[in-house]
Amino acid sequence: MWDAEANDFVQQAPGAPILDPNNYKYELQCHLGGGDFDSVCLRDQVECTNGPDGEDGIPVIWYSMPRGVPGAVWAIHSGPTCLYDARPEDLLPQIAAQIQQQFESLPINAGAVVAQPSPNTLRGAETNFYADASEQQFDVTMLGQQVHVVATPVQYTWNYGDGTVFGPQPSMGGPLPQDRWGEKTRTSHVYANTGDFQVVLTTSFQGTYSVNNGPPLPIPGQGQFSAPPQTISVWRSITRNYADDCNQNPQGQGCPGVASSR
């Protein structure tokens, strides 16, 4: 773990929680043990050339084993893949200490805010909001190693612009058929006043990372990212009775070309 006072990495304190449920190790691809290799496998093994520092790597198979499980055995986790650092265990703690900051600095798209109806809605009616967010993947270089990051949306916070905030909660909402607009949904909102409101969606992402195509490891914390504000105009509805239609009175309220009151 990283010691801020010592400005260096130190051994994790005994009893500190371990978030990953597995142990991991790698073995050379095609290795049968001792000095023996599978000759048939060697003909088709992964070519590991032109690594991060321009150096060749080694083809490996990653294995995992559950922690604290009596009788657990090593099983193939992933691979074959290339390992470009002969001693990755020296770099993994450093990458682990920096991965949260790296995750939060990625250009993750929080998703788009969709409103039904839009861009105008009615005061006192349910306006359905939902998020259009998706899983995203990134490849970055950390300490000369190739790191693959997967960001998955897990929670959503809605700021409806009128002082009401909903979340964080796991529902991204969803679209309604037009004939059902006005129904209450998990993420819908009722505006009590007219006006223009800026709706902001903040999406929380959970991430995993893998180093040099190794096994995916969890990123301990979440990253929060906000979508561009979506403007929603809230109008009022007024019911009036008229004696004439627009043919008889073209300047009547509600006729084409005549401005309506909000």
Side-chain angles (χ1 to χ4, degrees):
M1 61 176 290
W2 177 256
D3 188 323
E5 294 184 2
N7 196 34
D8 198 359
F9 291 94
V10 297
Q11 185 174 359
Q12 185 171 339
I18 299 176
L19 299 177
D20 195 311
N22 297 320
N23 287 313
Y24 299 95
K25 71 173 183 177
Y26 67 89
E27 294 183 2
L28 296 177
Q29 183 188 6
C30 306
H31 189 214
L32 299 177
D36 297 329
F37 286 84
D38 185 334
S39 59
V40 175
C41 173
L42 287 173
R43 292 200 301 265
D44 300 320
Q45 75 175 356
V46 175
E47 293 186 9
C48 299
T49 58
N50 194 25
D53 297 323
E55 299 181 357
D56 293 346
I58 55 175
V60 299
I61 302 290
W62 283 94
Y63 292 80
S64 64
M65 181 176 66
R67 301 177 188 269
V69 177
V73 296
W74 291 102
I76 293 178
H77 183 278
S78 61
T81 187
C82 293
L83 183 67
Y84 291 107
D85 191 295
R87 300 181 63 191
E89 63 275 10
D90 293 341
L91 294 177
L92 288 178
Q94 300 181 49
I95 293 175
Q98 301 175 22
I99 192 63
Q100 181 65 41
Q101 182 178 3
Q102 178 71 52
F103 183 55
E104 294 175 354
S105 68
L106 291 173
I108 295 176
N109 185 345
V113 177
V114 184
Q116 295 176 314
S118 177
N120 305 317
T121 189
L122 292 176
R123 181 184 65 183
E126 294 282 354
T127 302
N128 182 42
F129 292 95
Y130 65 93
D132 183 8
S134 60
E135 180 182 281
Q136 297 157 61
Q137 302 187 31
F138 302 88
D139 290 299
V140 297
T141 300
M142 298 180 65
L143 304 177
Q145 308 303 304
Q146 299 295 330
V147 179
H148 182 71
V149 178
V150 178
T152 304
V154 291
Q155 288 189 314
Y156 307 86
T157 300
W158 299 91
N159 186 327
Y160 296 111
D162 62 349
T164 304
V165 176
F166 176 51
Q169 48 79 43
S171 176
M172 66 187 302
L176 287 175
Q178 187 169 356
D179 60 358
R180 292 176 55 191
W181 287 3
E183 291 185 10
K184 181 177 179 59
T185 67
R186 174 67 175 166
T187 53
S188 65
H189 181 61
V190 175
Y191 288 94
N193 300 299
T194 60
D196 293 335
F197 299 92
Q198 298 291 309
V199 182
V200 177
L201 166 69
T202 300
T203 306
S204 299
F205 284 80
Q206 187 70 61
T208 62
Y209 72 102
S210 58
V211 181
N212 295 333
N213 293 319
L217 304 171
I219 297 175
Q222 295 182 355
Q224 295 185 340
F225 304 86
S226 295
Q230 171 74 33
T231 301
I232 190 78
S233 295
V234 180
W235 295 64
R236 61 176 177 153
S237 62
I238 300 176
T239 302
R240 291 189 175 96
N241 295 321
Y242 297 95
D244 302 324
D245 59 25
C246 291
N247 291 325
Q248 296 169 317
N249 182 14
Q251 300 304 312
Q253 195 167 38
C255 293
V258 179
S260 300
S261 61
R262 289 183 61 169

